[in-house]
Amino acid sequence: MNADPAAQLRLLDLQALDAQVDQLRHQRGNPAEAAEIKDLLGKRVDVDGRLRDQRIVVDDLAAAQAKADTDVEQVKARRTRDRERMDSGAVADPKALERMQHELESLERRITTLEDEELEVMEQLEEAQSALTELTAAVEDLDSRLGVLTTARDEKLAALDAEIGAVSGGRAAIVAEIPADLVALYEKLRASKGGIGVGTLRARQCSGCQLSLDAGELAAIRATPAETVLRHEECQRILVRTPESGL
């Protein structure tokens, strides 16, 4: 394959542009905030699960407290009715009064027991609500931090997209100055050689693979017309001669 030496030099400009775009795309695909965002999202899933469980605990205890309140009020209402009957004189039979007095004593004991249970449930509910408040605050804090990081990441990605667009915008002009078959070879090599399809021969070394050329290879290159497109035998990349080649 032959190509004007100037076109071969422009191939180096194309490689430099493509390498810059590759670097920018790598930065875009690996934003600095990504690891922390992933970590915070994992923590949020955990805390959110605990928050849902805690809401169930609070709801169950709230229902238990409501039931305990109702039970206490029902027994107290019965005690009030019995006292009112006794105080009104509606029950005149001494044995009936004695039974009612015993029942009032039982009701008092029952009320004491129910109020103790009610207090215990209230304490449990208070602790559960405190834990729920803490978990809610933890989720809000995580969301706030995620919001800050996500905004920072998105701003950086937008800036990188703009930079990629600006850099890539000059590619077509460079490609237009290079023969199509040489561009096709370059693209093929770039795809199979880690993004580097062409290297310069500088100080007797291939910049594509960083290997030095021996005396025999250099002699063969000296004897090759400038229009001939060279390939480095070791890495098979296109090898472009420059004034710094050391030939």
Side-chain angles (χ1 to χ4, degrees), residues 18-199:
D18 286 340
Q20 185 179 359
V21 171
D22 286 346
Q23 184 178 21
L24 290 170
R25 285 175 175 162
H26 177 76
Q27 292 176 23
R28 194 190 189 289
N30 301 275
E33 298 81 5
E36 190 171 357
I37 288 174
K38 181 179 179 180
D39 180 60
L40 290 177
L41 286 173
K43 289 180 179 178
R44 196 193 185 287
V45 170
D46 174 64
V47 175
D48 195 48
R50 289 158 56 197
L51 180 62
R52 288 195 300 270
D53 293 343
Q54 194 62 28
R55 284 199 186 104
I56 294 173
V57 172
V58 168
D59 290 344
D60 289 347
L61 287 171
Q65 182 181 346
K67 182 179 183 303
D69 292 343
T70 300
D71 291 344
V72 170
E73 291 305 316
Q74 287 177 345
V75 177
K76 284 183 176 180
R78 183 175 176 181
R79 179 187 64 182
T80 299
R81 289 195 302 270
D82 287 354
R83 279 180 177 172
E84 288 175 349
R85 288 185 63 197
M86 292 176 66
D87 294 343
S88 67
V91 181
D93 181 26
K95 290 184 177 181
L97 285 171
E98 183 179 3
R99 285 197 300 273
M100 290 189 70
Q101 184 61 45
H102 289 321
E103 183 176 344
L104 280 173
E105 293 172 358
S106 295
L107 290 173
E108 290 291 351
R109 289 193 296 270
R110 178 61 177 158
I111 289 172
T112 298
T113 299
L114 289 173
E115 287 180 337
D116 288 343
E117 293 174 354
E118 181 185 32
L119 181 60
E120 182 179 352
V121 172
M122 288 176 63
E123 291 174 347
Q124 292 176 356
L125 179 57
E126 184 177 352
E127 292 177 359
Q129 287 175 329
S130 178
L132 180 63
T133 299
E134 290 180 3
L135 288 169
T136 300
V139 168
E140 291 174 352
D141 178 63
L142 287 168
D143 284 342
S144 176
R145 292 162 64 189
L146 280 167
V148 171
L149 284 169
T150 300
T151 298
R153 179 201 62 190
D154 292 346
E155 289 176 351
K156 289 181 181 179
L157 293 183
L160 285 169
D161 284 340
E163 190 173 358
I164 289 170
V167 173
S168 299
R171 193 178 195 276
I174 298 175
V175 169
E177 298 179 31
I178 306 171
D181 56 350
L182 183 55
V183 172
L185 175 60
Y186 161 76
E187 296 285 10
K188 181 179 178 180
L189 291 170
R190 216 172 82 81
S192 63
K193 300 291 183 180
I196 301 176
V198 59

Side-chain angles (χ1 to χ4, degrees), residues 2-14 174-180 182-183 198 226-227 229 238 240:
N2 292 328
D4 187 278
Q8 295 185 43
L9 287 173
R10 287 298 274 163
L11 195 61
L12 296 176
D13 295 332
L14 182 60
I174 298 175
V175 169
E177 298 179 31
I178 306 171
L182 183 55
V183 172
V198 59
E227 293 75 16
V229 175
I238 299 168
V240 176

